[in-house]
Amino acid sequence: MTSWQDIFASEFEQDYFKIIQTRINQEYQTHEVYPPRDKIFAAFDLCPFEKVKVVISGQDCYFNPNQAHGLAFSVNKGMKIPPSLINIYKELKSDLGIEPPTHGCLRAWAKEGVLLLNSALTVRRGEPGSHIEIWKPFTDKIISILNNSEQPIVFILWGTFSRAKKKLINNPKNHLLESAHPSPLSAYNGFFGSKPFSKTNQFLISNKIEPINWMIE
């Protein structure tokens, strides 16, 4: 059975990833970079390859101190809930009637089989998009590998950077949902009302796959 460990063992040996590694090492040495190094691959740690049912793709990590912890759109408990996540919670309530939790940690979704994957796994403090091009070859490869996995997967692409990856999702057994980013700047341009949570579960159920429990305690 394929695992992230197997995939990473192969990818980390590739020339393109050695370039990524060198550049990211330099970034951590010369700038304030988030998340902490040991959290860069947290999304994969919490959602094993064989358990992935859904991929939620964002742009890059939160770029303010103590926010990013390796899961797209998520922050640790005790941190103020970011505006984009507030809008995600609003859509969750509108779509499924689920009351927003009092914190912004999305680990529960990861453990349900939702890979919370940013287009860039790191970012400089205060510089959104600063590492997008560095990580693009790797996150493109991850999407391509998932596109060809045995189990049908729902790919949820929010925002311009994520939607650019839809060209990699061409396996007809998978399901693609895309919309505007949930940030306050664009949520009213197609994110609100997109019903990604119910549409995801409808697809999973139609493929005899256990739906996601979107409730967060």
Side-chain angles (χ1 to χ4, degrees):
M1 181 180 291
T2 303
S3 69
W4 289 127
Q5 186 175 5
D6 297 331
I7 292 168
F8 289 174
S10 173
E11 294 305 311
F12 289 178
E13 291 300 315
Q14 303 299 316
D15 288 343
Y16 86 87
F17 193 84
K18 292 178 181 178
I19 293 171
I20 291 173
Q21 190 173 41
T22 297
R23 293 185 67 185
I24 292 301
N25 284 340
Q26 291 173 343
E27 287 290 306
Y28 273 96
Q29 290 168 9
T30 57
H31 296 84
E32 189 167 347
V33 174
Y34 308 129
R37 278 179 181 263
D38 64 347
K39 298 297 183 184
I40 291 175
F41 298 101
F44 304 96
D45 295 336
L46 290 170
C47 188
F49 181 83
E50 68 275 10
K51 298 285 182 66
V52 177
K53 301 176 184 179
V54 181
V55 177
I56 292 181
S57 177
Q59 180 177 322
D60 53 3
C61 314
Y62 292 123
F63 52 83
N64 291 319
N66 302 315
Q67 287 186 308
H69 67 132
L71 305 180
F73 298 105
S74 179
V75 292
N76 282 313
K77 290 182 179 179
M79 295 298 299
K80 182 179 179 180
I81 302 175
S84 291
L85 185 52
I86 288 174
N87 286 340
I88 291 170
Y89 286 166
K90 286 179 180 178
E91 180 63 18
L92 181 62
K93 182 175 182 180
S94 172
D95 188 5
L96 295 178
I98 294 175
E99 290 295 332
T102 57
H103 62 82
C105 183
L106 302 180
R107 289 175 185 269
W109 287 0
K111 292 178 179 179
E112 280 285 307
V114 181
L115 182 66
L116 295 159
L117 180 67
N118 277 313
S119 296
L121 304 188
T122 58
V123 68
R124 287 183 187 176
R125 176 175 180 167
E127 296 185 40
S130 51
H131 290 176
I132 287 284
E133 290 305 316
I134 297 177
W135 284 104
K136 185 178 184 300
F138 179 71
T139 52
D140 279 1
K141 189 61 181 289
I142 294 300
I143 294 291
S144 295
I145 290 170
L146 288 166
N147 177 61
N148 292 310
S149 64
E150 293 182 14
Q151 177 172 271
I153 292 175
V154 180
F155 290 87
I156 302 175
L157 310 182
W158 287 335
T160 303
F161 286 100
S162 296
R163 295 171 82 172
K165 293 190 184 297
K166 68 180 179 181
K167 64 181 181 294
L168 305 170
I169 305 164
N170 54 18
N171 191 324
K173 71 181 178 183
N174 297 321
H175 191 49
L176 177 62
L177 297 172
E178 57 176 316
S179 75
H181 195 276
S183 75
L185 294 175
S186 54
Y188 287 96
N189 293 324
F191 174 75
F192 287 134
S194 60
K195 300 187 180 299
F197 309 103
S198 61
K199 289 178 179 177
T200 290
N201 280 354
Q202 288 166 8
F203 175 81
L204 295 176
I205 291 168
S206 71
N207 282 274
K208 297 180 171 56
I209 299 170
E210 185 74 19
I212 301 298
N213 177 7
W214 295 104
M215 182 79 71
I216 299 173
E217 296 294 335

